[in-house]
Amino acid sequence: IKSLGVIPACEKWIDDQTTLPRDATTFTEDCYAHQALYIGGNSTPSINIQNFEIAWWNKTLQSEEQLRNRIAFALSQIFVTSSAFWANEERNNIWQSYTLYYDKLMNRAYGTHRDLLTDISYDPFMGLYLSSAQNRKANPTLGTSPDENYAREVMQLFSCGVYAYDQYGQFTYDTNGDRLENYDNEDITELARVFTGLGLSVVKGVLDDFDSPTLNRSGRYLHPMLMSEPHHDQGSKVLLDGTIIPAGQGGDDDITQALDTLALHPSTAPFISRQLIKRLTSSNPSAAYIGRVVEAWNGNGTYGQGNVGDFGSVIKAILLDTEARNAVNYTVTDGVVSTHPTRVASARICEPILKWTQFYRFSQALSGEADGWVRVKAKTKRSGSDETPNFGQIPMRAPSVFNYYDTDYSPAVGDLAEAEEELGINLVSPESEILSPYVIHQFEAFLRIANQDIPYSSHNFNGNVSQPTSITYNYLRYLYEKNSRVEDFIDDVNLWFCKGQISPTLRQTLSSLANSTGGATRENFAKIITVIFNSSDFSVIY
């Protein structure tokens, strides 16, 4: 930033990230590697759902591909599948499947929306989650009709959305002032016919017995679904925009034509762009902001590369937009870059799992085991001790296809509610929906983690012998030992942990309190970072 300026420096970082070689191993390979550690000396595998969670934390905390990992996580919150759908026995048989699904999101992080639609439409994990697998054409004799679940969600959540949008992400209305809708029940019924005939495959490229998909049930989740023409509706179909799919052209061609139509629907670019902005930079983007990102989606503008729905162009447009960058004032003093928020409405609440992720990366968290794995064990329910943080969310385990929270959620009480009531300003804060009292309590209990390196869970390794797992916070420990002045510690934390966002008021308050109670002690440093962790200066992302 000092040598290039803010925007060129940010753009160079994005370009460097998008050209990084892929990690040597995928999520799936990491899962199998950790599974081997879990089995240890036992001959019988002890498959456990934690394989994915531990692999996710290792990639998130240690990989150089930070942007790709961050975009994949954002995509997982829009194109949702969830291991919570299955009962315990079934979940333990499909961890490889949702790991493979997450790898698809990683692969498409800089790809196109259209290619991702193909990936998820044929994905067995999605096929089981939204019941498009083993979906048969209508049988008038039996009075059955195709399952409509995936057909509904691929429109509602993965492409155009329920309501019609203009290019600026604003609703369009009919002459009565009602929102125009993109589709109706008849459109869902027609699209459901398109996805009939998809079946699970135990061997890659070989369709399993369509009527006996439970055979080899763990293996059937590992390969893309295949089309069974006898179970596909071969009749003509009319799509939501009036496009006619001709009769008899084959199931895969039907799906290709339908996905082409959805990807190019005029509401798709503003709908998905708005979702990505909300996941990455701002809960309340302006119409102009959305419009500039849509321009990049369409291959135009400053960052468009001519490819429609290119995530690489869209992400650059989102992160470098003036509304995102002008929300922060950058200053350079004695070679040190500081930032100060200038537009509160341009921000978003940092969801719990990202707060903890940022802390773990900042503190260079490492497990005590010699194998080098960082084993973060998360919870979503109230159980266990304070040392096992409750993030309120776990990747790929959302309670529904709508993710952990409503993208348009606004608290019924508090400052936002008062702003709407008194000033008519309608602001949303989606992530606030999962900030339950217990999750907030976990934030407050952060002091115990910041003040010592503590064992917080146990795992079974090497013949299923239970061993405690501890995490050391190497960089945080270094800062504790390095700084002899309270002010210097606050400066370091502010720069490396909070992106320079600590307000002068908070800085002065922390400095005064610490200096009045012993000064530069480890206990005071732990209290300082705990207060910062819980402050709006850290919890609100600008």
Side-chain angles (χ1 to χ4, degrees), residues 380-425:
T380 55
K381 297 181 179 179
R382 181 167 184 168
S383 61
S385 63
D386 289 339
E387 292 88 345
T388 306
N390 184 319
F391 304 125
Q393 55 187 154
I394 296 175
M396 297 289 286
R397 208 187 293 188
S400 78
V401 73
F402 299 102
N403 194 24
Y404 275 99
Y405 43 79
D406 181 355
T407 188
D408 291 317
Y409 173 80
S410 184
V413 296
D415 291 342
L416 295 188
E418 292 176 7
E420 182 174 6
E421 181 178 351
E422 298 175 8
L423 304 175
I425 301 175

Coordinates of all heavy atoms in Angstrom, one line a residue, residues 380-425:
T380 N -22.0 -26.7 18.0 CA -23.1 -25.8 17.7 C -24.1 -25.9 18.8 O -25.1 -25.2 18.8 CB -23.8 -26.2 16.4 OG1 -24.1 -27.6 16.4 CG2 -22.8 -26.0 15.2
K381 N -24.0 -26.8 19.7 CA -24.9 -26.9 20.8 C -24.2 -26.6 22.2 O -23.0 -26.7 22.3 CB -25.5 -28.4 20.9 CG -26.3 -28.7 19.6 CD -26.8 -30.1 19.7 CE -27.7 -30.5 18.5 NZ -28.2 -31.9 18.6
R382 N -25.0 -26.4 23.2 CA -24.5 -26.0 24.5 C -24.1 -27.3 25.2 O -24.9 -28.1 25.7 CB -25.5 -25.3 25.3 CG -24.9 -24.9 26.7 CD -25.8 -23.9 27.4 NE -25.2 -23.5 28.7 CZ -25.7 -22.4 29.4 NH1 -26.7 -21.7 28.9 NH2 -25.1 -22.1 30.5
S383 N -22.8 -27.6 25.2 CA -22.3 -28.8 25.9 C -20.8 -28.6 26.0 O -20.1 -27.8 25.3 CB -22.5 -30.0 25.1 OG -21.9 -30.0 23.8
G384 N -20.2 -29.3 26.9 CA -18.7 -29.3 27.1 C -18.3 -28.0 27.9 O -19.0 -27.3 28.5
S385 N -17.0 -27.8 27.7 CA -16.4 -26.7 28.5 C -16.2 -25.5 27.7 O -16.3 -25.5 26.4 CB -15.0 -27.2 29.0 OG -14.1 -27.5 28.0
D386 N -15.8 -24.4 28.3 CA -15.6 -23.1 27.6 C -14.4 -23.2 26.7 O -14.3 -22.4 25.8 CB -15.4 -22.0 28.6 CG -16.7 -21.6 29.3 OD1 -17.8 -21.9 28.8 OD2 -16.6 -21.0 30.4
E387 N -13.5 -24.1 26.9 CA -12.3 -24.2 26.1 C -12.6 -24.8 24.7 O -11.8 -24.7 23.8 CB -11.2 -25.1 26.7 CG -10.6 -24.5 28.0 CD -11.4 -24.9 29.2 OE1 -12.6 -25.3 29.1 OE2 -10.9 -24.7 30.3
T388 N -13.8 -25.4 24.5 CA -14.2 -25.8 23.2 C -15.2 -24.8 22.7 O -16.4 -24.8 23.0 CB -14.9 -27.2 23.3 OG1 -14.1 -28.1 24.0 CG2 -15.2 -27.8 21.9
P389 N -14.8 -23.9 21.8 CA -15.6 -22.8 21.4 C -16.9 -23.2 20.7 O -16.9 -24.1 19.9 CB -14.7 -22.0 20.5 CG -13.3 -22.4 20.8 CD -13.4 -23.8 21.2
N390 N -17.9 -22.5 21.0 CA -19.2 -22.7 20.2 C -19.3 -21.6 19.2 O -19.5 -20.4 19.5 CB -20.4 -22.6 21.2 CG -21.7 -22.9 20.5 OD1 -21.9 -22.5 19.4 ND2 -22.6 -23.6 21.2
F391 N -19.1 -21.9 17.9 CA -19.1 -20.9 16.9 C -20.5 -20.6 16.4 O -20.7 -19.7 15.6 CB -18.2 -21.4 15.7 CG -16.8 -21.8 16.0 CD1 -16.3 -23.0 15.7 CD2 -16.0 -20.9 16.7 CE1 -15.0 -23.4 16.1 CE2 -14.7 -21.2 17.0 CZ -14.2 -22.5 16.7
G392 N -21.4 -21.5 16.8 CA -22.8 -21.3 16.3 C -23.0 -21.8 14.9 O -24.0 -21.7 14.3
Q393 N -21.9 -22.3 14.3 CA -21.9 -22.8 12.9 C -20.7 -23.7 12.6 O -19.7 -23.5 13.2 CB -21.9 -21.6 11.9 CG -20.8 -20.6 12.1 CD -20.8 -19.4 11.3 OE1 -20.3 -18.4 11.6 NE2 -21.5 -19.4 10.1
I394 N -20.9 -24.6 11.8 CA -19.8 -25.5 11.3 C -19.9 -25.6 9.8 O -21.0 -25.8 9.3 CB -19.9 -26.9 12.0 CG1 -19.8 -26.8 13.5 CG2 -18.9 -27.9 11.4 CD1 -20.0 -28.1 14.2
P395 N -18.8 -25.5 9.1 CA -18.9 -25.6 7.6 C -19.6 -26.9 7.2 O -19.4 -28.0 7.7 CB -17.4 -25.6 7.2 CG -16.7 -24.9 8.3 CD -17.4 -25.3 9.6
M396 N -20.5 -26.7 6.2 CA -21.2 -27.8 5.6 C -22.1 -28.6 6.6 O -22.4 -29.8 6.4 CB -20.2 -28.8 4.9 CG -19.4 -28.2 3.8 SD -20.4 -27.9 2.3 CE -20.6 -29.6 1.7
R397 N -22.6 -27.9 7.6 CA -23.5 -28.5 8.5 C -24.7 -27.6 8.9 O -25.2 -27.5 10.0 CB -22.8 -29.0 9.8 CG -23.6 -30.3 10.4 CD -23.0 -30.7 11.7 NE -21.6 -31.2 11.6 CZ -21.0 -31.7 12.6 NH1 -21.6 -31.8 13.8 NH2 -19.8 -32.2 12.5
A398 N -25.1 -26.7 7.9 CA -26.2 -25.8 8.1 C -27.5 -26.5 8.4 O -27.7 -27.6 8.0 CB -26.3 -24.9 6.9
P399 N -28.4 -25.9 9.2 CA -29.6 -26.6 9.6 C -30.6 -26.7 8.4 O -31.5 -27.5 8.5 CB -30.2 -25.7 10.7 CG -29.6 -24.3 10.4 CD -28.2 -24.6 9.9
S400 N -30.4 -25.9 7.3 CA -31.3 -26.0 6.2 C -30.6 -25.5 5.0 O -29.5 -25.0 5.0 CB -32.6 -25.2 6.5 OG -32.3 -23.8 6.2
V401 N -31.3 -25.6 3.8 CA -30.8 -25.2 2.6 C -30.6 -23.6 2.5 O -30.0 -23.1 1.7 CB -31.6 -25.7 1.4 CG1 -32.9 -24.9 1.3 CG2 -30.9 -25.6 0.1
F402 N -31.2 -23.0 3.5 CA -31.1 -21.5 3.6 C -30.0 -21.0 4.4 O -29.9 -19.9 4.8 CB -32.5 -20.9 4.2 CG -33.7 -21.3 3.3 CD1 -34.5 -22.3 3.6 CD2 -33.9 -20.6 2.1 CE1 -35.6 -22.6 2.9 CE2 -35.0 -20.8 1.3 CZ -35.8 -21.9 1.7
N403 N -29.0 -22.0 4.8 CA -27.8 -21.6 5.5 C -28.1 -21.5 7.0 O -29.2 -21.8 7.5 CB -27.2 -20.4 4.9 CG -25.8 -20.2 5.4 OD1 -25.1 -21.1 5.8 ND2 -25.3 -18.9 5.4
Y404 N -27.2 -20.9 7.7 CA -27.4 -20.7 9.2 C -28.2 -19.5 9.5 O -28.7 -19.3 10.6 CB -26.0 -20.5 9.8 CG -25.3 -21.9 10.2 CD1 -24.4 -22.4 9.4 CD2 -25.7 -22.6 11.3 CE1 -23.8 -23.6 9.7 CE2 -25.1 -23.8 11.7 CZ -24.1 -24.3 10.8 OH -23.6 -25.5 11.1
Y405 N -28.4 -18.6 8.6 CA -29.1 -17.4 8.9 C -29.8 -16.8 7.6 O -29.3 -17.1 6.5 CB -28.2 -16.3 9.5 CG -26.9 -16.2 8.8 CD1 -26.7 -15.5 7.6 CD2 -25.7 -16.8 9.4 CE1 -25.5 -15.3 7.0 CE2 -24.5 -16.6 8.8 CZ -24.4 -15.9 7.6 OH -23.2 -15.8 7.0
D406 N -30.8 -16.0 7.8 CA -31.5 -15.4 6.7 C -30.7 -14.3 6.1 O -30.3 -13.4 6.9 CB -32.9 -14.9 7.2 CG -33.7 -14.3 6.1 OD1 -33.2 -14.1 5.0 OD2 -34.9 -13.9 6.4
T407 N -30.5 -14.2 4.8 CA -29.6 -13.2 4.3 C -30.2 -11.8 4.4 O -29.5 -10.8 4.3 CB -29.4 -13.5 2.8 OG1 -28.4 -12.6 2.3 CG2 -30.6 -13.4 2.0
D408 N -31.5 -11.7 4.7 CA -32.2 -10.4 4.9 C -32.6 -10.2 6.3 O -33.5 -9.4 6.6 CB -33.3 -10.3 3.9 CG -32.9 -10.1 2.5 OD1 -31.9 -9.4 2.2 OD2 -33.5 -10.8 1.6
Y409 N -32.0 -10.9 7.3 CA -32.4 -10.8 8.7 C -32.1 -9.5 9.2 O -31.0 -8.9 9.0 CB -31.8 -11.9 9.5 CG -32.0 -11.8 11.0 CD1 -33.2 -12.2 11.6 CD2 -31.0 -11.2 11.8 CE1 -33.4 -12.1 12.9 CE2 -31.2 -11.1 13.2 CZ -32.4 -11.5 13.7 OH -32.6 -11.4 15.1
S410 N -33.0 -8.9 10.0 CA -32.7 -7.7 10.7 C -33.2 -7.8 12.1 O -34.4 -8.3 12.4 CB -33.4 -6.5 10.1 OG -33.1 -5.3 10.7
P411 N -32.4 -7.5 13.2 CA -32.8 -7.7 14.6 C -34.1 -6.9 14.9 O -34.3 -5.8 14.4 CB -31.6 -7.2 15.3 CG -30.5 -7.3 14.4 CD -31.0 -7.0 13.1
A412 N -35.0 -7.5 15.7 CA -36.2 -6.9 16.0 C -36.0 -5.8 17.1 O -36.9 -5.0 17.3 CB -37.2 -7.9 16.5
V413 N -34.9 -5.9 17.8 CA -34.6 -4.9 18.9 C -33.2 -4.4 18.7 O -32.4 -5.0 17.9 CB -34.8 -5.5 20.3 CG1 -36.2 -5.9 20.6 CG2 -33.8 -6.7 20.5
G414 N -32.9 -3.3 19.3 CA -31.5 -2.7 19.2 C -31.5 -1.6 18.2 O -32.5 -1.0 17.8
D415 N -30.2 -1.2 17.9 CA -30.0 0.0 17.1 C -30.6 0.0 15.7 O -31.2 1.0 15.2 CB -28.5 0.3 17.0 CG -27.9 0.7 18.3 OD1 -28.6 1.1 19.2 OD2 -26.6 0.6 18.4
L416 N -30.5 -1.2 15.1 CA -31.0 -1.3 13.7 C -32.6 -1.2 13.7 O -33.2 -0.5 12.8 CB -30.6 -2.6 13.0 CG -29.1 -2.7 12.8 CD1 -28.9 -4.0 11.9 CD2 -28.5 -1.5 12.1
A417 N -33.2 -1.8 14.7 CA -34.6 -1.7 14.8 C -35.1 -0.3 15.1 O -36.1 0.2 14.5 CB -35.1 -2.7 15.9
E418 N -34.3 0.4 16.0 CA -34.7 1.8 16.3 C -34.5 2.7 15.1 O -35.2 3.6 14.8 CB -33.8 2.3 17.4 CG -34.2 1.6 18.8 CD -33.2 2.0 19.9 OE1 -32.4 2.9 19.7 OE2 -33.3 1.4 21.0
A419 N -33.4 2.4 14.3 CA -33.2 3.2 13.1 C -34.3 3.1 12.1 O -34.7 4.1 11.4 CB -31.9 2.8 12.4
E420 N -34.8 1.9 12.0 CA -36.0 1.7 11.1 C -37.2 2.4 11.6 O -38.0 3.0 10.8 CB -36.2 0.2 10.9 CG -37.4 -0.1 9.9 CD -37.5 -1.6 9.6 OE1 -36.8 -2.4 10.2 OE2 -38.3 -1.9 8.7
E421 N -37.5 2.3 12.9 CA -38.7 2.8 13.4 C -38.6 4.4 13.5 O -39.6 5.0 13.1 CB -38.9 2.3 14.9 CG -40.2 2.8 15.5 CD -40.3 2.2 16.9 OE1 -39.6 1.3 17.3 OE2 -41.3 2.7 17.6
E422 N -37.5 4.9 13.8 CA -37.4 6.4 14.0 C -37.0 7.1 12.8 O -37.4 8.2 12.6 CB -36.4 6.7 15.2 CG -36.9 6.1 16.5 CD -35.8 6.3 17.6 OE1 -34.8 7.0 17.3 OE2 -36.0 5.8 18.7
L423 N -36.2 6.5 12.0 CA -35.6 7.2 10.8 C -36.1 6.6 9.5 O -35.8 7.2 8.4 CB -34.1 7.2 10.9 CG -33.4 7.8 12.1 CD1 -31.9 7.6 12.1 CD2 -33.8 9.2 12.3
G424 N -36.7 5.5 9.5 CA -37.2 4.8 8.3 C -36.0 4.2 7.5 O -36.2 3.9 6.3
I425 N -34.9 4.0 8.2 CA -33.7 3.3 7.5 C -33.8 1.8 7.8 O -33.8 1.4 8.9 CB -32.4 3.9 8.1 CG1 -32.3 5.4 7.9 CG2 -31.2 3.2 7.5 CD1 -31.1 6.0 8.6

